[in-house]
Amino acid sequence: MTSTTPLDLAPRPGSAPLGAMLRAQAGMELKLMLRNGEQVLLTLVIPLLLLVMGTKADQVVDLGPGRTIDIIAPGVLALAVLSTSFTSLAISTGFDRRYGVLKRLGASPLPRSVLLLGKVGAVAAVEAIQLAVLVPTALALGWRPDGGAVAWVWALALVVAGTAAFGSLGLLIAGTLRAEATLAVANLVYVLLLVGGGLMVPLSRYPEAGRHVMELVPSGALGEGLREAFAGGSALAPLAVLVGWSLVAGLATVRTFKWE
Amino acid sequence: MRYGATTAVDHLDLEIATGTVTAILGPNGAGKTTTVEVCEGFRPVQHGEVRVLGLDPRDASLRPRIGVMLQSGGAWSGSRADEMLRHIASLHAHPLDVDGLVERLGLGSCGRTPYRRLSGGQQQRLSLAMAIVGRPELLFLDEPTAGLDPQARRATWDLVTELRDHGVTTVLTTHFMDEAEQLSDVVHVVDAGRVIASGTPAELTHESARDTIRFTAAAGLDVLDLMHALPEGTKVEERVAGSYVVTGEVDPALLSTLTAWCASRKVLPESILVEHQTLEDRFLDLTGRSLR
C-alpha cells in the first residue's frame, strides 16, 4: 500500500452533467443485468424456449382457431415484456435496496429521477435485445403477423404501456418488501401469469367470467392486445387498461417506495 | 432522534470546524451512526436544527460536496471493484484519478473481483475510495477501519491526515480509542445519544490527570523528604510497605529527580512503572466498564 503517484486530494466538488450521469447509470444497470445468469435465463432463454416449443403447443392445450405460431408469437412477446419490466426489475431493485446501493447512490450527486431513468433505460435496452432475438425467430418459425405497419405501431404502444404498468408494479413490490420476499413474489407472479394470466393462452379459451377479469389484468391486456393487433384488429381497450394500471401503480409506488 | 419507543440521539450538540478531523467516539449503540446519517441527509431531523455546510442536510445541492462512507454495503454485489469505483467517479465533475486511488488503497489486485467476493477489508477500502473519489469538501466516515488489518488501518489513517492537510473536513465515527487519539483534532464522546465529553484528545486524557509513577523499594523510605525533592504539587504515598505511588505532572524530569533522590540515598528500586492515562482509560471512566 505504498503510493507512487501523488494524488491531488484538494477538494474540488461538482456533479457530472445530467446526461453523463444518465448514460453511466443506465449503462451500469444494463451491464449488471446482462451479466446476471438468472436474469438472462428469465428474459431470453425461457421466452425463446417457449417460442420454439410453442409451435407444438396445440398438441397439449387447445389454443382455439388459427395457426399455433400466430397465437404463440404475440404471447411470447408479452411474456418477454413481463419478465424484464416486472420480474427482473423488481428483483434487481429489491437487492439494490438490500445491499445499500440505493442508499449509497442517494448520497452521491445522482438525482433520484436520473436513477429511475437509468433503470428505465436499462429495461428498454433489454427489451430491444429481446425483440431483436424473438421477432426474427418467430418469423423464421412461420409467424405471419397481419395488420401491416399499423399492427407494429399498436405493438410498440402496448409494449411501452405494458412496461410502464409492470415496471411500476415491480417497483411497488421492491420498494416495500424485503429483498427475499420480493424475489419470491416476483417469481411466483411470473409463473402464475405465465400459466393463467392471459399471456400465452387467448382469453377466448377462458370461461366467460374469467375472461372479463383477465381483460382488466395487465398481463391479460398485454397478451390479448398484442394478439388482436397482429390479427389486424384494434388494441385500444387493452392499451387503455395498461395506461390505467401504470397511473395507479406509479402513484402507489411514488407514495410507498422506501429507499433503504 | 427516536426509533419507535427508543430515543437514539437526544440533545446532541456538535459544531465541526472546517478543515479539522472530528471523531465521534462511543460504544456500540451510542447513536454515532444515527447522528452521522442525519447529517448525511439519510434521516429527517425530528427536533432541533442541523446545518451542513450552511445547508439543510436534505438539500440536493449538498450531495456533490460531501463524501459518504457507509458502515457496510453500498455496492452492487455483481459489480467489480474498479467498475464500481469508476461508476461513482463518473457521477462527479472532477473526480480523483481512479487508477492512482486504486493503487494508493491497495485495491489493484482485486480490481476485477466482484464486490461480493471481496474480503471485508477490501470492501472497507473500496467504500473509503468511493467516499473520497468525488473530491468532497466534507467527508463522513462511519467506522472507517472496522475489520481492517494493521497495515490497511495505518494507510487509512495516513489518507485521512493527508486529506485534512489538503483542507478536507472529516467527521468519523469509531469505537477505537487509538484511532480517535491519533487522527482527530476534536473528540466527542457519545453515549446513550448524548455527548458526555468533548475536547482534543490531550484535553480529554488530562482532564482528570491520573498520571502516576509506581515504584517498589525498601520499606519505610522518608516520603516527606522525597516530596520536598520533587516539584511542588507532587504527592508520594507508601500505601503498602515498600510500594510507593507518585502522582502529579509525570514527565521525564520528574522521573530523573526521583531516581537521583534514590541514588543519593543508596536505594535501588526493584521496579519503576510509569502509568499514563490513555483515552481508553478516560473512555471507560466515562462510559462504564460493563458490557451492555
Side-chain angles (χ1 to χ4, degrees):
Chain A
M1 303 199 33
T2 51
S3 119
T4 48
T5 17
L7 286 170
D8 180 10
L9 296 172
R12 208 174 161 206
S15 309
L18 287 177
M21 284 200 266
L22 177 57
R23 269 197 306 281
Q25 188 63 23
M28 192 74 187
E29 298 260 10
L30 178 62
K31 242 193 289 187
L32 291 166
M33 270 191 183
L34 296 178
R35 196 180 287 165
N36 187 322
E38 297 103 84
Q39 305 251 29
V40 174
L41 181 75
L42 193 75
T43 54
L44 267 179
V45 180
I46 292 177
L48 207 52
L49 277 177
L50 282 173
L51 187 61
V52 174
M53 294 188 314
T55 52
K56 307 272 178 244
D58 55 341
Q59 296 168 11
V60 188
V61 277
D62 181 7
L63 291 173
R67 294 167 68 239
T68 306
I69 185 67
D70 289 345
I71 296 166
I72 286 292
V76 166
L77 296 184
L79 177 73
V81 170
L82 171 77
S83 63
T84 305
S85 61
F86 177 75
T87 313
S88 180
L89 180 66
I91 293 171
S92 65
T93 307
F95 281 96
D96 282 3
R97 245 178 98 217
R98 156 73 169 277
Y99 291 124
V101 177
L102 295 185
K103 190 176 181 182
R104 180 75 198 70
L105 293 173
S108 80
L110 184 76
R112 284 178 176 178
S113 55
V114 179
L115 180 107
L116 185 65
L117 281 176
K119 287 191 179 292
V120 171
V123 165
V126 172
E127 286 179 349
I129 295 171
Q130 288 175 307
L131 293 179
V133 171
L134 294 172
V135 169
T137 308
L139 292 172
L141 288 170
W143 178 36
R144 287 203 302 266
D146 278 341
V150 179
W152 290 99
V153 174
W154 277 124
L156 187 66
L158 287 164
V159 167
V160 170
T163 301
F166 284 126
S168 305
L169 289 167
L171 291 177
L172 182 63
I173 295 171
T176 45
L177 301 182
R178 282 180 305 115
E180 291 78 3
T182 298
L183 181 73
V185 170
N187 280 324
L188 183 69
V189 169
Y190 174 83
V191 172
L192 288 178
L193 292 185
L194 168 62
V195 176
L199 276 174
M200 307 289 293
V201 178
L203 294 186
S204 59
R205 309 308 302 159
Y206 280 65
E208 174 85 18
R211 187 187 316 157
H212 293 311
V213 173
M214 278 312 168
E215 278 170 356
L216 296 175
V217 170
S219 57
L222 183 60
E224 204 60 13
L226 286 172
R227 276 186 293 272
E228 276 173 23
F230 287 120
S234 157
L236 192 60
L239 190 61
V241 169
L242 291 174
V243 170
W245 275 98
S246 310
L247 294 176
V248 172
L251 198 66
T253 304
V254 169
R255 295 215 161 168
T256 59
F257 197 91
K258 293 197 196 71
W259 292 81
E260 54 166 305
Chain B
M1 272 302 293
R2 295 172 69 84
Y3 297 108
T6 311
T7 302
V9 173
D10 186 21
H11 292 95
L12 190 141
D13 291 315
L14 293 178
E15 210 162 296
I16 313 286
T18 310
T20 59
V21 177
T22 300
I24 299 177
L25 177 68
N28 293 329
K32 303 187 293 292
T33 298
T34 301
T35 302
V36 169
E37 291 198 342
V38 166
C39 298
E40 291 163 345
F42 287 134
R43 296 173 193 289
V45 183
Q46 290 168 343
H47 293 287
E49 200 197 11
V50 179
R51 292 270 134 185
V52 178
L53 300 172
L55 297 169
D56 185 282
R58 312 208 109 184
D59 191 323
S61 64
L62 202 54
R63 299 281 87 80
R65 299 172 67 191
I66 63 170
V68 169
M69 176 177 178
L70 301 179
Q71 210 176 91
S72 64
W76 285 287
S77 67
S79 65
R80 301 187 179 106
D82 65 350
E83 187 177 55
M84 191 65 220
L85 184 54
R86 253 171 241 288
H87 181 62
I88 299 294
S90 73
L91 304 176
H92 293 269
H94 319 285
L96 288 177
D97 171 43
V98 171
D99 293 325
L101 185 58
V102 161
E103 187 187 349
R104 175 69 194 261
L105 283 168
L107 288 167
S109 59
C110 60
R112 306 271 309 152
T113 310
Y115 181 78
R116 64 172 173 276
R117 291 212 206 98
L118 296 177
S119 72
Q122 288 167 336
Q123 290 185 351
Q124 281 290 93
R125 279 178 276 155
L126 177 62
S127 190
L128 176 64
M130 291 195 290
I132 67 173
V133 74
R135 301 177 70 176
E137 295 164 54
L138 173 61
L139 197 54
F140 292 101
L141 308 176
D142 200 356
E143 301 197 358
T145 63
L148 291 187
D149 62 28
Q151 289 85 347
R153 208 156 165 243
R154 182 65 60 177
T156 302
W157 290 1
D158 288 349
L159 194 55
V160 171
T161 307
E162 210 179 312
L163 283 160
R164 183 191 54 190
D165 295 344
H166 281 85
V168 177
T169 308
T170 301
V171 178
L172 61 92
T173 71
T174 184
H175 48 244
F176 295 120
M177 324 310 141
D178 56 342
E179 185 158 292
E181 203 161 7
Q182 289 268 337
L183 273 186
S184 48
D185 302 299
V186 182
V187 180
H188 298 285
V189 183
V190 174
D191 194 22
R194 288 170 184 266
V195 174
I196 52 173
S198 295
T200 65
E203 281 166 6
L204 281 177
T205 48
H206 281 102
E207 215 162 70
S208 63
R210 226 186 46 174
D211 294 353
T212 52
I213 299 177
R214 292 168 196 275
F215 71 97
T216 51
L221 295 180
D222 189 346
V223 170
L224 277 178
D225 186 50
L226 173 56
M227 264 163 70
H228 284 305
L230 295 172
E232 210 166 315
T234 312
K235 261 176 66 186
V236 184
E237 289 174 287
E238 184 181 5
R239 287 179 187 165
V240 181
S243 175
Y244 302 87
V245 181
V246 182
T247 46
E249 278 287 310
V250 172
D251 56 14
L254 181 79
L255 181 62
S256 157
T257 314
L258 172 65
T259 51
W261 182 86
C262 290
S264 68
R265 279 153 189 77
K266 308 261 186 285
V267 172
L268 179 66
E270 286 151 32
S271 71
I272 300 183
L273 180 66
V274 179
E275 287 180 338
H276 175 71
Q277 191 187 22
T278 62
L279 192 54
E280 180 150 357
D281 296 315
R282 183 79 183 119
F283 178 72
L284 290 172
D285 284 349
L286 286 167
T287 61
R289 285 170 196 269
S290 61
L291 285 173
R292 53 231 142 126

